[in-house]
Amino acid sequence: MRKPIIAGNWKLNKTISQAVDLVTELQALVADVSEVEIVVAPVFTALSAVAAALKENRIGLSAQDLYWEKSGAFTGEVSAELLRDAGCSYVIIGHSERRQYFGENNEMVNKKVRSALDAHLAPIICVGEHLAERQAGKTESVIEDHVMGAIEGLSANQLLTSVIAYEPVWAIGTGQVATPDQAQEVHAHIRRLLAGKYSKEVANQIQIQYGGSVKPANATDLLSQVDVDGALVGGASLEAESFAGIIAAARRN
Ligand code: PEP
């Protein structure tokens, strides 16, 4: 049985005090939840303060990105070790906004994934096709390229420390959510790819989240799909009530 994982990507939002308020409110709402893995990803500057506000390990802390070098002359960058030092146990890698606005490619994503794993951080690896790619019938090949590129050189154990987030780019922040069938189809495809590279057992163990306009109202249908093990949530994670609503939907499944 795979545990559902609901992660909130706060993107470039919230001051330190707003982030602490949000996580404090959220903790009260999920105080009795143990059957769902819950993760929040604030901006870098709020990580330490949110870590200090987290109690009882019910919510895991994630960064939204990292740089693969450990230290040195890399102005503006933050390493996996420093994220651990700030209290993180997860890091989002290869989000489509990073690929789109900051030129990230598979090779960079793979270096980031490896450096996260070396520092004992669980990478949440984002993959997903653009609308034009879906319309051209290229969804499966784009997903294969993203997944295989990101996990190049990983052992089965390292893969199983990772989470994959299928995030169709056309569904992110648009309100245009993938249908449960569309999500299921791609998640099953990812599992087939992993079964081919590793084994069926490994493919059956890894958590694969769906991301793209998940809200409390559509979460139940998406999360009830057999290969959908949770959600990576942007907009709806910025308010405790709506994020808790998605966690409640994951609990019911
Ligand atoms: C995201 O940015 O990862 C995301 C899924 O955003 P939203 O939920 O707002 O579509």
Side-chain angles (χ1 to χ4, degrees):
M1 272 299 283
R2 298 179 297 264
K3 192 171 186 176
I5 172 166
I6 306 293
N9 174 12
W10 296 356
K11 309 194 185 186
L12 182 45
N13 294 291
K14 309 267 178 210
T15 62
I16 294 172
S17 68
Q18 288 168 340
V20 168
D21 286 351
L22 174 54
V23 87
T24 304
E25 203 185 329
L26 182 63
Q27 281 180 111
L29 293 175
V30 301
D32 63 338
V33 179
S34 58
E35 63 277 53
V36 179
E37 201 172 326
I38 305 169
V39 178
V40 294
V43 293
F44 286 133
T45 50
L47 287 172
S48 292
V50 170
L54 287 173
K55 307 210 169 68
E56 294 175 22
N57 290 336
R58 211 167 284 291
I59 299 178
L61 186 63
S62 176
Q64 299 175 16
D65 187 30
L66 55 62
Y67 188 57
W68 56 80
E69 293 290 348
K70 285 189 169 63
S71 63
F74 303 103
T75 304
E77 296 297 335
V78 178
S79 68
E81 284 77 7
L82 295 185
L83 296 179
R84 282 228 48 115
D85 188 43
C88 291
S89 35
Y90 302 81
V91 56
I92 296 171
I93 295 179
H95 191 281
S96 63
E97 287 152 15
R98 303 275 339 150
R99 294 181 192 255
Q100 193 170 340
Y101 305 132
F102 303 98
E104 283 195 10
N105 57 31
N106 286 344
E107 197 190 331
M108 294 159 81
V109 169
N110 180 245
K111 284 183 177 174
K112 290 184 177 198
V113 167
R114 289 169 181 238
S115 73
L117 289 163
D118 285 347
H120 306 289
L121 285 174
I124 298 176
I125 305 167
C126 301
V127 302
E129 81 287 0
H130 286 268
L131 184 59
E133 292 167 332
R134 173 165 282 268
Q135 287 169 337
K138 293 184 179 158
T139 300
E140 292 206 346
S141 60
V142 171
I143 297 302
E144 177 167 2
D145 180 57
H146 283 181
V147 171
M148 294 314 202
I151 65 172
E152 175 71 41
L154 264 55
S155 68
N157 278 344
Q158 286 178 314
L159 181 78
L160 291 177
T161 310
S162 315
V163 175
I164 294 179
Y166 167 53
E167 297 209 301
V169 181
W170 47 271
I172 297 180
T174 59
Q176 195 191 338
V177 65
T179 64
D181 284 351
Q182 285 173 323
Q184 168 57 29
E185 222 169 73
V186 176
H187 284 228
H189 174 57
I190 294 172
R191 249 183 253 289
R192 275 193 303 274
L193 292 170
L194 298 176
K197 185 175 166 78
Y198 296 90
S199 68
K200 230 173 165 182
E201 293 68 39
V202 168
N204 280 336
Q205 282 178 60
I206 187 168
Q207 293 161 306
I208 308 178
Q209 303 175 293
Y210 166 79
S213 297
V214 178
K215 312 276 179 241
N218 58 30
T220 303
D221 285 349
L222 286 161
L223 295 171
S224 64
Q225 298 300 306
V226 289
D227 287 305
V228 177
D229 307 317
L232 180 54
V233 184
S237 70
L238 294 174
E239 286 189 2
E241 286 237 348
S242 54
F243 193 53
I246 294 168
I247 293 163
R251 255 183 129 175
R252 285 193 296 270
N253 271 290

